[in-house]
């Protein structure tokens, strides 16, 4: 039986980020993945990288995460495919009061965001149909990244820092009867006929994870655009 400080189940972007941050702090970490890195919802991510949130806490951690995407090569030695395009959000009348309140606060938080009237949007992007739009916000530092490259980059760097990866399916999680702070994990390899193996993991709080980015299917010269039905 192999012992680790933390076992991370799933090698999506959240699991890879957790492993990357833990391994970088010297924590003995194992990632157990049933298929492939980013093989689940992460690989189908909308992949927008933005800090445009009405919730101040979410905005602050997303702002910091954009910095990680921008400097991804320095952190991991790899590319996340991040492209800074800006994000234009179009809001209906029912959002207007909230947007006018939130945009100044985002700028105070170090998230450069422009409050735009409909005529300003048309002047910059004349092809847009602004029927039913009362106000818009443009986050300058937003963009998109490749969720698969991001996940693989963090996971590969985590391995370089000492983390291990196991491929199979977790079949049971049981508390260690001798130590309440640790757990037994039974897992099967991809060969489901094989007998379960197991490892021991001590429970520890995981660090903040990094949000995923925007799949690079849009020309890099234009902003990401979303039409909001309510302020997020």
């Amino acid at each position: 039986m192999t012992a680790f400080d933390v076992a991370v189940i799933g090698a999506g972007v959240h699991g890879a980020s957790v492993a990357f941050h833990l391994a970088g702090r010297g924590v003995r970490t194992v990632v157990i993945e049933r298929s492939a890195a980013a093989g689940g919802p992460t690989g189908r991510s909308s992949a927008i990288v933005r800090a445009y949130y009405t919730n101040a806490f979410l905005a602050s951690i997303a702002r910091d995460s954009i910095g990680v995407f921008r400097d991804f090569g320095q952190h991991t030695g790899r590319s996340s495919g991040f492209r800074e395009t800006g994000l234009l959000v179009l809001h209906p009348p029912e959002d207007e009061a909230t947007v006018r309140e939130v945009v100044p606060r985002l700028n105070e938080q170090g998230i450069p965001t422009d409050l735009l009237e409909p005529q300003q949007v048309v002047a910059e992007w004349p092809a847009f149909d602004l029927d039913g739009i009362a106000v818009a916000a443009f986050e300058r530092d937003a963009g998109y990244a490749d969720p698969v490259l991001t996940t693989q980059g963090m996971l590969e760097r985590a391995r370089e820092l000492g983390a291990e990866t196991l491929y199979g399916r977790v079949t049971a999680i049981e508390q260690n009867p001798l130590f309440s702070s640790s757990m037994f994990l039974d897992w099967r390899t991809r060969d489901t006929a094989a007998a379960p193996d197991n490892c021991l993991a001590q429970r520890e709080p995981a660090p903040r994870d990094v949000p995923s980015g925007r799949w690079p299917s849009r020309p890099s010269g234009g902003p990401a655009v979303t039409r909001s039905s309510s302020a997020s």
Side-chain angles (χ1 to χ4, degrees):
M1 178 174 62
T2 306
F4 299 93
D5 296 318
V6 176
V8 180
I9 302 174
V13 71
H14 291 170
S17 176
V18 168
F20 164 71
H21 286 92
L22 288 175
R25 289 161 173 76
V27 179
R28 295 177 303 169
T29 305
V30 61
V31 181
I32 304 176
E33 166 57 44
R34 65 181 178 179
S35 58
T42 291
R44 300 185 292 274
S45 170
S46 63
I48 293 174
V49 179
R50 57 145 176 160
Y52 183 72
Y53 290 97
T54 57
N55 181 287
F57 173 72
L58 288 178
S60 66
I61 62 173
R63 174 203 61 208
D64 294 345
S65 295
I66 290 175
V68 174
F69 278 108
R70 184 180 295 111
D71 301 327
F72 200 77
Q74 298 178 26
H75 293 294
T76 69
R78 296 159 176 86
S79 172
S80 67
F82 177 67
R83 298 291 183 272
E84 185 178 298
T85 62
L87 173 71
L88 179 65
V89 185
L90 307 176
H91 288 278
E94 55 265 33
D95 287 357
E96 184 173 2
T98 299
V99 173
R100 293 187 183 279
E101 176 185 349
V102 166
V103 168
R105 189 256 296 157
L106 291 173
N107 283 285
E108 291 173 1
Q109 289 185 267
I111 303 166
T113 307
D114 299 323
L115 183 66
L116 302 176
E117 304 300 334
Q119 59 269 27
Q120 293 175 287
V121 176
V122 171
E124 184 70 24
W125 299 284
F128 284 180
D129 177 6
L130 298 185
D131 183 36
I133 298 300
V135 69
F138 183 76
E139 182 192 342
R140 301 179 208 166
D141 293 344
Y144 63 92
D146 185 320
V148 177
L149 286 180
T150 300
T151 303
Q152 291 175 340
M154 287 191 293
L155 191 61
E156 289 169 4
R157 182 56 181 154
R159 285 197 291 258
E160 292 173 352
L161 294 170
E164 294 188 31
T165 51
L166 302 174
Y167 290 94
R169 184 184 296 272
V170 174
T171 58
I173 301 176
E174 300 177 3
Q175 185 170 325
N176 184 343
L178 299 180
F179 301 99
S180 60
S181 63
S182 62
M183 311 286 284
F184 287 110
L185 278 73
D186 287 335
W187 62 283
R188 289 184 182 272
T189 63
R190 285 172 174 164
D191 177 8
T192 57
D197 200 347
N198 60 71
C199 63
L200 176 66
Q202 182 175 341
R203 290 179 292 182
E204 295 285 352
R208 184 177 66 214
D209 53 64
V210 181
S212 59
R214 171 77 182 166
W215 188 262
S217 58
R218 176 186 340 101
S220 59
V225 182
T226 180
R227 184 167 181 149
S228 175
S229 58
S230 61
S232 60

